[in-house]
Amino acid sequence: MKTMKNPLFGCLASALMTLTAMPALAQLQLPAPSPAAKVSQAVGVSEISVEYSSPAVKGRKIWGELVPNDKAWRSGANVATKITFSHPVTFGDKAVPAGSYAIVSLPSQKGWKVMLNTDLGLWRGGAPYDTSKDVASVSATTTAIPARERLAYLFSDTTDTGTRLDLEWEKLRVSVPITVDTAAFVKANIAQAEKNAASMHMSAASYLSDTKDHAAALKHADAAVAATPTWYAHWNRADVLSQMGKYAEARKAAQTAWDLGQKDKNFFAREQVAQALAEWKNKK
């Protein structure tokens, strides 16, 4: 006896196989309720950035209801809002090291507080807020503004030494000043640039001296001393001068290297400099 095939079952099976084989690209994409956003600002030579999720008002009462008073808030939607500082800053009136932090807010009719917390996983999977991980807790300024549908972070009144971080949503702006010691960072950058320049000049001097291009080598050795007059720069110059047969000048440079080296715990060429001073003493 033959078994009759059900045509409807065959159609359903075929359709199921087709749906199962559809590529991931065919998955339905819809707008996120709270889309991801990022804003950044250069302050002098520093950079400050904020990454957050931006919820909408959607006709709801925000302050005091959706965002309760006197209860820690993630300062956005989904997971905690993240702020990153490329250099140390003063957040409000608190010194904060460079790095990334979660922004935690404490809304209140008595005045807002804004905290920076080292736990970037706050509110992810129900992770609780631990105040012991705060690196700063400061008072914030609140201001009434025209209606804003979506929560947004902005930087305002930016100069070379500071900016203001604003959170705006519904009809409220929450602000915290951020200051940066740009002058100190610039001085450090200049010092590092000079150090790098001296190293490049010394490397060039050594290479050119080895290839017998002594005149060019001496120019680089002189430039290295001018950039950073360390014992090593003077010793590099002394070596170039000795290869040129200018022993009196070489000995003078080596003596300067010796004198400076006495103050450096890392005077690793002590024996070589001492030997050169002795050998070049009677050479002209």
Side-chain angles (χ1 to χ4, degrees):
M1 183 176 181
K2 294 183 178 180
T3 302
M4 295 183 63
K5 295 183 178 179
N6 187 327
L8 178 61
F9 176 80
C11 291
L12 289 172
S14 177
L16 181 61
M17 290 176 65
T18 301
L19 288 172
T20 303
M22 288 179 69
L25 291 177
Q27 293 180 0
L28 183 62
Q29 292 185 330
L30 297 172
S34 300
K38 181 176 181 179
V39 62
S40 64
Q41 178 64 56
V43 181
V45 296
S46 304
E47 182 177 357
I48 304 172
S49 63
V50 178
E51 298 173 58
Y52 63 101
S53 294
S54 177
V57 175
K58 296 181 178 178
R60 300 172 291 183
K61 180 173 173 55
I62 303 301
W63 310 116
E65 289 193 11
L66 183 65
V67 179
N69 285 322
D70 305 309
K71 183 178 180 180
W73 175 47
R74 68 198 71 188
S75 308
N78 302 325
V79 297
T81 296
K82 181 174 76 171
I83 188 167
T84 301
F85 306 113
S86 65
H87 291 76
V89 303
T90 299
F91 185 79
D93 59 353
K94 302 295 183 183
V96 176
S100 295
Y101 305 93
I103 301 179
V104 182
S105 301
L106 186 66
S108 175
Q109 292 182 336
K110 299 178 182 178
W112 278 55
K113 291 284 187 182
V114 177
M115 290 74 72
L116 299 184
N117 191 280
T118 58
D119 187 357
L120 298 178
L122 286 176
W123 286 282
R124 183 179 286 113
Y129 166 50
D130 183 353
T131 58
S132 69
K133 295 181 180 180
D134 286 346
V135 298
S137 178
V138 304
S139 296
T141 301
T142 55
T143 309
I145 60 171
R148 178 185 283 276
E149 176 64 17
R150 285 201 175 275
L151 181 150
Y153 280 88
L154 306 96
F155 292 100
S156 306
D157 299 333
T158 301
T159 67
D160 283 346
T161 58
T163 189
R164 191 184 76 220
L165 178 64
D166 297 333
L167 180 160
E168 294 188 356
W169 195 23
E170 200 246 8
K171 295 183 180 181
L172 185 70
R173 175 187 297 134
V174 182
S175 304
V176 177
I178 302 173
T179 55
V180 181
D181 191 355
T182 299
F185 302 144
V186 168
K187 288 180 181 178
N189 288 347
I190 292 172
Q192 185 61 48
E194 290 176 343
K195 182 178 179 181
N196 291 341
S199 296
M200 288 188 289
H201 281 302
M202 282 188 279
S203 295
S206 295
Y207 173 80
L208 291 168
S209 184
D210 288 342
T211 59
K212 309 305 180 184
D213 190 352
H214 295 120
L218 184 58
K219 288 182 179 179
H220 284 285
D222 289 341
V225 170
T228 54
T230 61
W231 71 263
Y232 190 62
H234 283 283
W235 173 234
N236 176 265
R237 182 171 181 271
D239 183 56
V240 172
L241 287 166
S242 70
Q243 293 190 50
M244 297 175 72
K246 297 182 178 183
Y247 292 106
E249 292 181 57
R251 193 175 190 285
K252 184 178 180 180
Q255 185 63 57
T256 301
W258 177 264
D259 294 340
L260 291 173
Q262 305 310 307
K263 304 173 185 178
D264 189 344
K265 294 180 180 179
N266 192 33
F267 187 24
F268 55 84
R270 179 185 299 273
E271 292 183 6
Q272 294 95 312
V273 176
Q275 182 178 351
L277 285 170
E279 292 179 355
W280 298 341
K281 188 176 182 178
N282 297 319
K283 291 185 177 181
K284 296 182 179 179

